Amino acid sequence: MSERLFKEVNYTLGVLLNEIQLGVIGLPDIQRPFVWANAKVRDLFDSMYKGYPVGYFLFWQTGADDVGTKGIGQEAKQKAPSLLIVDGQQRLTSLYAVVMKEPVLRENFEHEHIRIAFNPLKGEFAVPDATTEKQPEFISDISQVFGRPTHKTINEYVKRLSAAREADGETLSDEDEERVAEAIGRLAGLTNFPFVALELTQAANEEQVADVFVRINSEGKKLNQSDFILTLMSVHWDEGRTDLERFSVATRKPLAGNGPSPLNPIFQPEPDQLLRVDVGVAFRRGRLEHVYSILRGKDLRTGEFSPERRGEQFERLKAAQAQVLNPTHWADFLNVVRAAGYRNLRYVSSEGALIFAYQLYLIGRTACGVEPYALKQAVARWLFMSLLTGRYTSSPESQYESDLKLLPEVNDPDAFVKALGDVEAATLTDDFWAKSLPLALATSASRGPSLFAYYASLVLCEARALFSKGKVADLLDPPAIGNKKPLERHHLFPKRYLQKLGVSDIRDTNQIANYALVEWDDNIAISDIAPKDYWPTYASRFADTELKDMMHWHALPEGWQEMDYQGFLVARRPLVAQVIKQGYLKLLGKA
């Protein structure tokens, strides 16, 4: 029978906070230092105030000096941590931050004070807002209740509330004063709230602690394989995980300084998505189920673990991540996405396709030695194909694994490009363009891959927006963002016009074949006017050749404005499919 690796210890909140302040309890590197949203912190204090149980803590008792740890809070600690938080970090960090008025680190890597308001008359907690700030019944920040004599807080509150009541011609009753004193005393007394902690003994090593973390958290939060790997990274290579997190934040928020930045409007990957790119580049794996074991140093054939093997695998991961987070590679890849016709994440139906395309780009560049121009063209075509067909929308891991196996193992640039081209040729057949794609366009899905591929094709073919001299590419990527999007989806047969005809179901009115991209002011002006009435007015803006081009790119059948609605949809879908085909041929250099 295995020896038990934990013991049960009772604490009060006050003792726990004192241990944190001294540095006895620290935050281990197997969890990120992010806290809950303020509403969850509010609920935690509310539960404790009402006397509800709020869960246990799991600590790791270790005297080791070489285990990477972070103390809670920004202040220097007197001692090195000997108890590390394995489970309950969100709760304990939140409690420490509020009671000790200590700033916490948010996901954007900025420090912030958590403020929770409290109404003693009602025993009610709230996240402060404009309403609570105006109500004298609220203590705006409960941090001021802790760490000072309770009678002073009560006296100051009663004095302030009495003055507010008198200004309104009212008085604070003796009963209210007693209620206030009891409530504030009860709040201040939360430092005596009891907690149970299970402490893992020093006999538990880092691998066992990481394993326990994964197992206990899987009960409350369904962890996937990327969670397991990120956890392992936190134990053995925490700076690598931190780099993934910082890069992810920087894709959506400007960095300080004037150096390279991953900021962009096309793709803002989460850390686990960047990790997936890491794994694909390092191990050519699409499925993550075995990668956790590989990174722990497990030989998948013998089942044996080896620290040396673990070190070797992490070195491979480090080398791959250096390529993934390379700002030059990232910027170059985003230009590949733009070259495929996709200018904004709003018009990308599958982030999974972007993840795999970035893997392809890096493998082609760093492992297969593909010439940069040929590589960019090949990856752009693959991305267009995979987004158009929804290649990675169902069982993406299986498809990743299958597609990675198609790539050459050795430095063979021609084989790399050929492997991608062969799949595209087998996928985008004549039957696909003539039959499958028109059928796929018979949908009202607002984020359909075929709809966004049509937009991308308009970009690739430098088409102008309907009824406009402005190019779709320019209007999808404006120099500034106003209250209105430069381009809007216009119903060629307006919804309210269709309703007059008895067509009111959204599945009918919002068919992809009823959409066209127009500038916002034209969209407003057309309103619910019938096509046969508004078309002549807008068509008169253009010369015959311009009108012919516009009808071609916007897939408008001759005399469309006089057609019945269902006949129009059937006639337009094959024309939209042909425009999408022209976009792909443009990428092939054949249009």
Side-chain angles (χ1 to χ4, degrees):
M1 180 177 178
S2 299
E3 182 181 352
R4 194 170 69 174
L5 291 178
F6 70 93
K7 64 180 179 179
E8 182 179 310
V9 181
N10 294 311
Y11 289 94
T12 65
L13 176 59
V15 171
L16 286 170
L17 299 185
N18 185 59
E19 297 281 78
I20 292 171
Q21 195 170 34
L22 290 173
V24 175
I25 297 176
L27 169 64
D29 289 339
I30 64 171
Q31 289 205 46
R32 292 167 287 178
F34 311 142
V35 298
W36 294 329
N38 288 355
K40 292 198 71 171
V41 182
R42 173 205 62 202
D43 293 345
L44 175 61
F45 275 91
D46 182 62
S47 293
M48 293 171 62
Y49 183 82
K50 291 175 178 176
Y52 297 167
V54 292
Y56 66 92
F57 296 115
L58 184 67
F59 296 151
W60 178 24
Q61 190 180 74
T62 175
D65 295 327
D66 60 344
V67 178
T69 61
K70 304 181 183 76
I72 298 178
Q74 291 183 286
E75 300 298 323
K77 308 302 181 185
Q78 297 179 29
K79 300 180 180 180
S82 59
L83 284 177
L84 306 181
I85 309 168
V86 178
D87 187 49
Q89 180 259 327
Q90 301 288 349
R91 281 170 288 143
L92 194 48
T93 301
S94 300
L95 290 167
Y96 182 80
V98 172
V99 175
M100 309 303 290
K101 201 172 177 60
E102 181 80 31
V104 295
L105 191 67
R106 291 294 192 186
E107 285 187 287
N108 60 6
F109 290 90
E110 290 185 356
H111 286 90
E112 174 191 328
H113 284 284
I114 299 175
R115 293 175 60 235
I116 303 298
F118 178 64
N119 183 336
L121 289 172
K122 296 182 177 180
E124 174 182 287
F125 293 87
V127 176
D129 57 21
T131 302
T132 62
E133 296 289 349
K134 293 177 182 178
Q135 295 181 17
E137 291 82 6
F138 274 95
I139 296 173
S140 62
D141 184 357
I142 62 174
S143 296
Q144 61 190 267
V145 174
F146 303 102
R148 61 181 306 213
T150 304
H151 72 272
K152 285 189 176 182
T153 303
I154 295 171
N155 291 340
E156 290 175 5
Y157 178 84
V158 168
K159 183 178 179 180
R160 175 170 58 83
L161 186 57
S162 295
R165 291 281 177 90
E166 289 172 7
D168 293 335
E170 301 175 359
T171 59
L172 189 66
S173 68
D174 292 340
E175 291 80 3
D176 283 343
E177 288 192 28
E178 290 178 5
R179 190 180 300 115
V180 166
E182 193 277 332
I184 293 178
R186 187 174 178 180
L187 175 60
L190 290 183
T191 54
N192 295 317
F193 192 91
F195 283 96
V196 173
L198 303 179
E199 293 185 3
L200 295 170
T201 68
Q202 293 186 43
N205 59 36
E206 293 176 7
E207 290 287 351
Q208 289 172 316
V209 172
D211 194 29
V212 169
F213 171 78
V214 167
R215 291 173 185 236
I216 62 175
N217 275 280
S218 65
E219 296 300 320
K221 173 183 180 291
K222 182 63 176 177
L223 297 182
N224 54 38
Q225 294 295 334
S226 62
D227 290 313
F228 296 177
I229 297 170
L230 287 169
T231 297
L232 200 64
M233 286 180 70
S234 293
V235 173
H236 298 292
W237 183 38
D238 186 56
E239 62 269 28
R241 176 170 181 166
T242 299
D243 287 344
L244 290 177
E245 291 164 346
R246 289 187 181 277
F247 189 92
S248 174
V249 171
T251 61
R252 65 205 76 196
K253 179 181 177 181
L255 293 171
N258 299 316
S261 169
L263 182 70
N264 74 95
I266 299 175
F267 189 26
Q268 295 92 35
E270 296 297 331
D272 63 309
Q273 293 176 310
L274 291 168
L275 173 67
R276 190 173 287 281
V277 182
D278 282 1
V279 167
V281 174
F283 306 111
R284 299 285 185 95
R285 291 275 186 169
R287 296 181 185 274
L288 298 184
E289 58 185 330
H290 297 309
V291 176
Y292 178 66
S293 294
I294 290 173
L295 286 173
R296 293 179 66 194
K298 182 178 182 179
D299 187 320
L300 297 182
R301 292 171 298 177
T302 65
E304 296 180 354
F305 289 90
S306 162
E308 292 78 15
R309 188 179 298 109
R310 181 184 66 202
E312 292 171 0
Q313 303 294 22
F314 264 99
E315 287 304 315
R316 289 178 65 181
L317 187 68
K318 291 177 182 180
Q321 184 161 303
Q323 303 297 335
V324 174
L325 304 187
N326 182 304
T328 299
H329 292 171
W330 176 249
D332 206 32
F333 169 69
L334 292 177
N335 282 329
V336 170
V337 180
R338 288 174 61 87
Y342 293 86
R343 298 300 176 89
N344 195 292
L345 188 58
R346 289 195 306 271
Y347 305 113
V348 174
S349 57
S350 167
E351 292 187 10
L354 294 176
I355 291 170
F356 190 78
Y358 193 28
Q359 289 181 355
L360 282 182
Y361 168 84
L362 290 171
I363 292 171
R365 182 180 182 117
T366 63
C368 294
V370 183
E371 189 273 325
Y373 176 81
L375 174 64
K376 294 173 190 177
Q377 296 300 307
V379 175
R381 290 194 298 270
W382 180 276
L383 178 61
F384 186 95
M385 179 275 295
S386 61
L387 283 170
L388 169 60
T389 59
R391 190 174 184 87
Y392 303 109
T393 54
S394 177
S395 303
E397 280 202 344
S398 299
Q399 194 63 61
Y400 291 153
E401 189 83 13
S402 175
D403 288 345
L404 283 169
K405 289 178 180 177
L406 299 173
L407 304 180
E409 292 292 334
V410 295
N411 186 339
D412 189 340
D414 292 337
F416 178 92
V417 174
K418 183 177 185 301
L420 302 189
D422 287 348
V423 174
E424 292 164 34
T427 304
L428 304 181
T429 62
D430 289 341
D431 274 352
F432 172 82
W433 297 115
K435 298 178 181 178
S436 300
L437 184 52
L439 285 174
L441 288 164
T443 178
S444 60
S446 61
R447 294 187 56 80
S450 52
L451 175 64
F452 291 159
Y454 174 52
Y455 293 168
S457 297
L458 294 177
V459 171
L460 290 168
C461 296
E462 301 184 44
R464 301 180 187 277
L466 186 63
F467 308 137
S468 173
K469 299 284 187 178
K471 290 184 178 180
V472 170
D474 296 333
L475 294 169
L476 286 178
D477 190 18
I481 304 297
N483 292 328
K484 289 281 190 178
K485 295 177 184 176
L487 275 183
E488 293 185 346
R489 290 182 185 178
H490 164 64
H491 290 78
L492 291 164
F493 280 65
K495 291 176 71 173
R496 280 185 289 179
Y497 168 71
L498 288 173
Q499 289 171 359
K500 295 175 184 177
L501 300 179
V503 181
S504 57
D505 194 306
I506 291 178
R507 289 176 296 181
D508 295 322
T509 60
N510 287 2
Q511 282 287 305
I512 284 178
N514 194 30
Y515 283 135
L517 291 174
V518 302
E519 295 196 57
W520 65 269
D521 44 1
D522 286 333
N523 196 28
I524 291 174
I526 290 172
S527 184
D528 59 350
I529 303 173
K532 62 184 179 60
D533 294 328
Y534 75 73
W535 173 253
T537 301
Y538 286 89
S540 65
R541 292 178 177 179
F542 306 94
D544 289 345
T545 54
E546 291 178 312
L547 187 61
K548 182 178 179 181
D549 283 344
M550 186 176 70
M551 292 184 67
H552 170 75
W553 294 121
H554 292 280
L556 299 177
E558 192 68 38
W560 72 274
Q561 69 276 18
E562 301 289 345
M563 291 181 173
D564 69 274
Y565 181 55
Q566 291 300 329
F568 162 73
L569 295 177
V570 171
R572 190 173 184 234
R573 287 171 188 139
L575 299 180
V576 172
Q578 288 305 304
V579 173
I580 297 173
K581 182 179 181 179
Q582 281 187 259
Y584 178 70
L585 292 176
K586 185 89 171 181
L587 290 172
L588 279 174
K590 296 181 179 180

